[in-house]
Amino acid sequence: MRIFLTLAAFFFAAPAMAEHHEAAPVTPVTIVIHGGAGALAPGRYSPEEEAAFRAKLNEALDAGYAVLESGGAALDAVEAAIVLMEDAPMFNAGKGAVFTRKGKNELDSSIMDGATLNAGAVAGVTRVKNPIKLARAVMEKSDHVMFARDGAEKFARENGLELVKPSYFKTEHRWKAYKRALKAEKENQKDAALFHDFKYGTVGAVALDAEGNLAAGTSTGGMMMKRYGRVGDTPIIGAGTFADNKSCAVSSTGWGEYFIRLTIARDICAQVEYQGKTVEEAADDVIHHRLQDMGADGGVIVLAPDGSYAMTFNSKGMFRGVKNAEEQIIAIYGEEE
Amino acid sequence: MRIFLTLAAFFFAAPAMAEHHEAAPVTPVTIVIHGGAGALAPGRYSPEEEAAFRAKLNEALDAGYAVLESGGAALDAVEAAIVLMEDAPMFNAGKGAVFTRKGKNELDSSIMDGATLNAGAVAGVTRVKNPIKLARAVMEKSDHVMFARDGAEKFARENGLELVKPSYFKTEHRWKAYKRALKAEKENQKDAALFHDFKYGTVGAVALDAEGNLAAGTSTGGMMMKRYGRVGDTPIIGAGTFADNKSCAVSSTGWGEYFIRLTIARDICAQVEYQGKTVEEAADDVIHHRLQDMGADGGVIVLAPDGSYAMTFNSKGMFRGVKNAEEQIIAIYGEEE
């Protein structure tokens, strides 16, 4: 409803904005981002921590929106926003990723172009500073969609991606959480809350550019304490990321295994494509019914070719934000917008 | 049309089969298999080779159908049929897999249960005799859906999967093809036909059991000369494999990158679920329009909860077969059924 009013305001307000109208882009350029869904309730973070989260989300929105406002491509906006969040230590992506059971940081990412359905994805890289850039390089510089682990690293080296020492990704905060989890495991504690919470923290963005093209991207350190080269939903096209100009663009965050089994990103766009649902209706069905009914949680950001969007989650909160010509919203907890 | 007539024959014939009727299963138990799609035209194989392919496809159908006929689960039928094809050196899965650019065999597989949406997948394993069994172990013995490469191997060792030396998978036929491809690459030949053809040979099965449950599974050696830990569509839930009792079960074979970008398996089931299409109509749209329009090729087998099925491809041929109470069909080339 809120979205409808926002759009209505946009159109009805047009005559009063006549002096800006000629310069306005053909499509309502928009970027929507998330920084992970999880057990986020007021009080979880100190005011300083919360302010830092909000500032970084605003920075990522601004970076992505600047690309769109200057006529840049949705893919570039998505990449710009995600790079900022990968570089920020507070999100579970790039620097600040959670640790695997062996005490390593293994990163996954994917990106998709709604105009061409081109896509790129990487799973389990350990030395690439910005996995979203590697996913894009896979999309643009190879004939393939997805590379994994040592192979993906080799492709990164051969294609000039910026490499860092594995220790670059380490933060004291995540290391302590890992040590606590190891201790809990050794003591055979079933500290579900501890593990559960660290399934989240993925970052993502969806964008609509002036040409009317959609794009989506997602990046993560995955699930804390993961083993066996576990691949979550983030690098899976149709689960963590999907974009098609015909329907919508989606980036997911949450309990990855359920997002894969439900092909969450594709299902939302399929409901838009085949049932004529709005992105909000489709996201509601998938998150509040299908995902909820399986006892899992998480969230999605979804953007349609007309600029309407949804930021939908069934966890307590989701770091999220949206920026278009009419509004710039940042929120963390439920019902905050 | 043929499917409709087959089903009609099944129902109209019921009175004449009254003495069998009580013992008949509640649902029309059915298994459909494929052994890969590609440039298969009559004359491609010697009569002896062709007979061997047909015999093995029949053997796989019989193995899967025997499970269903005795009241076994669709998942068990899918696994039984695929294990037989993995063990057969003529298919590009398990023994007889194609070689990577480094001269290795790296195997991918996935399986999905339409009743629960449980799923398991592995990418890039090199020592597990039957990757479909490992995919099932991931589904049943871990909290995860997908493991990759060295991690997946470790999980296999810890869970008692049968391991073999990497040389077990080698066949002289595939090794010679690999050597020719290496030579062509060195001489900078653009022998597209050679490479193109070896994108195929994946095996898969979909089954419907007496309880009305669907399952799907797929297994492959991937694309010949693949590099960088390339992951194709086979282990991607929604691309290579999908099963949901609400709509259909699908196993794919073909140019994997396009199957990922189009989320082929999920899209077929989404059209069934949201547009009320038959599996044949949905498969036609996805293979003959969406895939075709992108200039790619391959095929799918699709099975619905009512026993109707499709074996649809836009390549010259597809190794395929179906068995139910009414028929046992094996085919390789176009329009053969």
Side-chain angles (χ1 to χ4, degrees):
Chain A
M1 190 60 184
R2 201 184 50 72
I3 290 166
F4 171 75
L5 292 175
T6 303
L7 284 172
F10 179 80
F11 290 116
F12 290 126
M17 297 165 59
E19 70 278 23
H20 298 125
H21 194 256
E22 282 173 37
V26 178
T27 51
V29 299
T30 305
I31 183 158
V32 190
I33 62 172
H34 70 78
L40 302 168
R44 159 87 188 250
Y45 296 105
S46 71
E48 295 72 26
E49 287 172 327
E50 198 180 303
F53 273 117
R54 291 181 188 272
K56 187 56 74 177
L57 290 168
N58 264 316
E59 204 183 322
L61 276 183
D62 289 343
Y65 193 75
V67 171
L68 300 172
E69 209 174 19
S70 65
L75 276 174
D76 292 326
V78 162
E79 181 181 321
I82 291 178
V83 162
L84 260 158
M85 292 188 283
E86 284 179 338
D87 291 347
M90 67 265 273
F91 300 111
N92 175 21
K95 188 173 185 67
V98 297
F99 286 87
T100 68
R101 193 161 173 284
K102 285 187 177 170
K104 295 175 69 179
N105 300 115
E106 295 183 353
L107 311 167
D108 303 335
S109 184
S110 65
I111 194 165
M112 188 160 184
D113 176 357
T116 60
L117 303 185
N118 278 335
V122 293
V125 296
T126 61
R127 300 175 59 94
V128 178
K129 188 182 177 216
N130 292 109
I132 192 70
K133 289 187 180 178
L134 179 57
R136 186 157 182 191
V138 172
M139 176 173 83
E140 293 178 345
K141 297 179 180 176
S142 85
D143 295 329
H144 305 290
V145 169
M146 185 172 183
F147 293 144
R149 300 177 72 78
D150 47 324
E153 299 271 348
K154 184 168 193 286
F155 180 82
R157 281 196 302 279
E158 290 181 13
N159 284 276
L161 273 289
E162 186 177 352
L163 301 179
V164 291
K165 287 183 186 168
S167 61
Y168 161 81
F169 299 106
K170 180 178 175 177
T171 58
E172 208 48 44
H173 171 67
R174 300 292 192 192
W175 185 253
K176 278 183 187 160
Y178 163 64
K179 286 294 184 185
R180 279 199 305 275
L182 262 191
K183 185 163 175 286
E185 190 189 70
K186 268 182 197 142
E187 293 170 2
N188 208 17
Q189 292 173 17
K190 289 276 179 193
D191 192 344
L194 176 75
F195 289 100
H196 193 63
D197 193 38
F198 280 92
K199 284 173 180 156
Y200 310 112
T202 300
V203 307
V206 292
L208 171 66
D209 66 28
E211 304 285 326
N213 290 323
L214 290 168
T218 315
S219 183
T220 193
M223 183 181 284
M224 189 174 70
M225 294 287 282
K226 69 186 177 185
R227 302 170 69 178
Y228 305 121
R230 178 255 189 188
V231 182
D233 63 316
T234 297
I236 305 296
I237 298 302
T241 298
F242 190 75
D244 185 343
N245 284 358
K246 279 203 307 291
S247 49
C248 63
V250 180
S251 171
S252 307
T253 168
W255 197 338
E257 277 69 15
Y258 291 88
F259 280 65
I260 295 176
R261 292 163 58 191
L262 289 167
T263 63
I264 291 240
R266 181 59 179 109
D267 193 11
I268 291 171
C269 294
Q271 294 190 16
V272 170
E273 184 175 355
Y274 301 129
Q275 298 188 296
K277 286 189 180 175
T278 66
V279 293
E280 196 164 19
E281 291 166 346
D284 277 352
D285 175 70
V286 169
I287 298 298
H288 292 301
H289 296 284
R290 297 179 186 231
L291 185 68
Q292 182 78 36
D293 290 350
M294 290 177 91
D297 56 358
V300 289
I301 50 173
V302 193
L303 184 57
D306 67 357
S308 62
Y309 63 87
M311 305 187 287
T312 306
F313 52 95
N314 70 338
S315 46
K316 281 193 182 158
M318 179 168 79
F319 294 106
R320 59 200 186 276
V322 58
K323 184 167 186 172
N324 56 31
E326 300 300 306
E327 57 186 356
Q328 177 154 359
I329 297 170
I330 295 289
I332 301 176
Y333 312 114
E335 301 296 326
E336 204 184 331
E337 300 111 274
Chain B
M1 191 58 184
R2 201 184 49 73
I3 290 167
F4 171 76
L5 292 175
T6 303
L7 285 173
F10 179 80
F11 289 115
F12 290 127
M17 294 165 59
E19 69 278 21
H20 298 125
H21 193 257
E22 283 171 35
V26 177
T27 51
V29 299
T30 306
I31 183 159
V32 190
I33 62 172
H34 71 76
L40 302 167
R44 160 88 189 250
Y45 295 106
S46 71
E48 294 73 25
E49 286 172 327
E50 198 180 303
F53 273 116
R54 291 182 188 270
K56 187 56 73 177
L57 291 168
N58 265 314
E59 204 183 323
L61 276 183
D62 289 342
Y65 193 74
V67 171
L68 300 173
E69 211 174 18
S70 64
L75 276 173
D76 292 325
V78 162
E79 181 181 321
I82 291 177
V83 162
L84 260 159
M85 293 188 282
E86 284 180 337
D87 290 347
M90 67 266 272
F91 299 111
N92 175 22
K95 187 173 185 64
V98 298
F99 286 88
T100 67
R101 193 161 172 284
K102 285 187 175 171
K104 293 176 71 180
N105 300 115
E106 294 183 354
L107 311 167
D108 303 335
S109 184
S110 65
I111 194 164
M112 188 161 185
D113 177 357
T116 59
L117 303 186
N118 278 334
V122 293
V125 295
T126 60
R127 299 175 61 94
V128 179
K129 188 183 177 216
N130 291 109
I132 191 70
K133 289 188 181 178
L134 179 56
R136 186 156 181 192
V138 172
M139 176 172 84
E140 294 179 346
K141 298 180 180 178
S142 86
D143 295 329
H144 305 290
V145 170
M146 187 173 181
F147 293 144
R149 300 176 72 78
D150 47 322
E153 299 270 350
K154 185 167 191 287
F155 179 82
R157 280 196 304 278
E158 291 180 12
N159 284 276
L161 273 289
E162 185 177 351
L163 301 178
V164 291
K165 288 184 185 167
S167 61
Y168 162 81
F169 299 107
K170 180 178 174 178
T171 57
E172 206 48 44
H173 171 67
R174 300 292 193 192
W175 185 252
K176 279 183 185 161
Y178 164 64
K179 286 294 186 184
R180 280 199 305 275
L182 263 191
K183 187 165 176 284
E185 189 189 70
K186 269 183 195 141
E187 292 171 359
N188 208 16
Q189 292 173 19
K190 289 277 180 196
D191 192 342
L194 175 75
F195 290 100
H196 192 62
D197 193 35
F198 281 92
K199 281 172 183 158
Y200 310 112
T202 299
V203 308
V206 291
L208 172 66
D209 65 28
E211 304 286 326
N213 291 322
L214 290 168
T218 315
S219 183
T220 192
M223 183 181 282
M224 190 173 71
M225 293 289 280
K226 69 186 177 185
R227 302 170 69 178
Y228 305 121
R230 177 253 188 189
V231 181
D233 64 317
T234 297
I236 305 296
I237 298 302
T241 298
F242 190 75
D244 184 344
N245 284 357
K246 279 203 306 291
S247 51
C248 63
V250 180
S251 171
S252 306
T253 168
W255 197 338
E257 277 70 14
Y258 291 88
F259 279 65
I260 295 175
R261 291 163 59 191
L262 289 167
T263 63
I264 290 241
R266 182 61 178 107
D267 193 10
I268 290 172
C269 294
Q271 294 191 15
V272 170
E273 184 175 355
Y274 301 128
Q275 298 189 297
K277 286 188 181 176
T278 66
V279 294
E280 196 164 20
E281 290 166 348
D284 277 352
D285 175 70
V286 169
I287 298 297
H288 292 301
H289 295 283
R290 297 180 188 231
L291 185 68
Q292 183 77 36
D293 290 349
M294 291 178 91
D297 56 0
V300 289
I301 51 174
V302 192
L303 184 58
D306 67 356
S308 62
Y309 63 88
M311 305 187 287
T312 306
F313 52 96
N314 70 339
S315 47
K316 281 194 181 156
M318 179 167 80
F319 294 105
R320 62 200 184 277
V322 58
K323 183 167 185 172
N324 57 29
E326 300 300 306
E327 58 185 356
Q328 176 153 359
I329 296 170
I330 295 289
I332 300 176
Y333 312 115
E335 300 296 326
E336 204 184 328
E337 302 112 274

